[in-house]
Amino acid sequence: MTALQRDLFELNGDVLLMDTTHNKNRFGVPICAVVGVDGENNTRLLCQGIMATEQAASFEYFIKSMQHACPDTLIRTIFTDADAAATSAIRKLLPNTEHFRCLWHMAKDVRQFAGRLGVDAQKFVNGFYRCRNSREPHLFWQNWETFSRQWKARNDPRVDKYLKHMINDYLRWAGFVQYHAFTLGMSATQRIEGLFSKLKTKTKRSTSLSELRAITEQIIDDQ
């Protein structure tokens, strides 16, 4: 983190988006980035790091380094994709932080699974959104009961397993939880995807780590 990034993190580090990208440097190691939103609704790159792996230990080291750089910042909410290693690290090191799944990634995963259901695929997707968009707990559980009962009636082990996985993780995607959390109106990580698109236009598989640092600093200056 540059000195400017540390200042920005202290001001705008309460709601974070975190994601990784791959194959954009000579060594093929993942790049992890964290972005936030400033007071004028601009996306700001707050923190970045080279990851040795995408295992939980690497994410833990990354988060510890971030906390060490900005120890006084209260991270209230963080959005990620469904990465299990990142989830494990966040639960361990940020136990009081609301951790949500990116809605775009969640919806993509639901659509991919629904594709296995043939002509009923869209019906499954619509049922998911009805549950996800419920703004109050009682409405969520009513809609989930209807949704799960409808699909469990198919007696399909694949569907039963997927529904169980979804409901076990509902605190990270259910709309009524997010609507009552501090999110600055965000529900997905599109902002970080936009940042990665800039990074990808400037880097390639032969990019050295020193070149990567210079490119990252240029992005920060441009912002």
Side-chain angles (χ1 to χ4, degrees):
M1 298 172 73
T2 66
L4 172 60
Q5 284 182 301
R6 288 194 292 273
D7 289 342
L8 289 171
F9 197 98
E10 291 176 359
L11 288 171
N12 310 296
D14 40 7
V15 180
L16 304 177
L17 313 175
M18 184 171 78
D19 201 358
T20 56
T21 190
H22 308 83
N23 297 324
K24 301 309 296 183
N25 56 79
R26 183 180 302 171
F27 304 97
V29 291
I31 303 166
C32 186
V34 172
V35 306
V37 180
D38 68 15
E40 297 181 345
N41 200 33
N42 298 310
T43 302
R44 305 303 295 260
L45 176 60
L46 302 180
C47 182
Q48 62 282 324
I50 303 296
M51 304 280 284
T53 68
E54 283 194 282
Q55 297 178 356
S58 289
F59 280 104
E60 287 179 21
Y61 184 81
F62 181 90
I63 293 172
K64 285 179 181 178
S65 299
M66 186 171 66
Q67 291 175 311
H68 178 74
C70 300
D72 297 325
T73 302
L74 174 63
I75 303 171
R76 298 175 62 176
T77 308
I78 188 167
F79 287 89
T80 68
D81 60 15
D83 189 281
T87 298
S88 174
I90 290 169
R91 286 177 176 171
K92 180 177 180 179
L93 298 175
L94 299 170
N96 297 319
T97 298
E98 295 271 20
H99 178 208
F100 296 127
R101 285 187 65 178
C102 163
L103 178 58
W104 184 86
H105 284 96
M106 179 74 179
K108 180 181 178 182
D109 185 74
V110 169
R111 287 194 299 270
Q112 286 179 338
F113 175 80
R116 307 175 189 178
L117 304 176
V119 296
D120 291 329
Q122 191 58 48
K123 186 185 297 184
F124 188 90
V125 173
N126 292 343
F128 158 74
Y129 273 109
R130 191 174 298 111
C131 295
R132 193 271 161 193
N133 293 336
S134 303
R135 289 182 174 244
E136 298 297 335
H138 70 280
L139 293 176
F140 172 84
W141 291 113
Q142 286 177 8
N143 289 328
W144 178 262
E145 177 63 26
T146 301
F147 176 63
S148 59
R149 185 172 60 247
Q150 174 188 6
W151 291 99
K152 285 180 180 179
R154 292 170 63 106
N155 294 319
D156 185 335
R158 299 174 304 167
V159 176
D160 292 344
K161 181 179 179 180
Y162 192 75
L163 291 174
K164 183 178 180 180
H165 169 72
M166 289 177 70
I167 199 60
N168 286 343
D169 202 33
Y170 82 94
L171 288 175
R172 292 180 57 215
W173 60 265
F176 79 88
V177 182
Q178 292 189 19
Y179 289 137
H180 296 285
F182 186 74
T183 65
L184 296 178
M186 292 186 287
S187 61
T189 57
Q190 284 109 323
R191 288 175 182 265
I192 205 167
E193 298 295 337
L195 176 107
F196 280 151
S197 68
K198 293 181 181 179
L199 188 66
K200 289 174 181 177
T201 61
K202 299 176 182 293
T203 58
K204 50 190 176 181
R205 294 195 178 195
S206 62
T207 299
S208 69
L209 298 188
S210 59
E211 289 171 331
L212 179 62
R213 174 171 180 149
I215 291 168
T216 303
E217 290 179 348
Q218 184 61 57
I219 291 174
I220 295 168
D221 290 341
D222 290 344
Q223 289 181 332

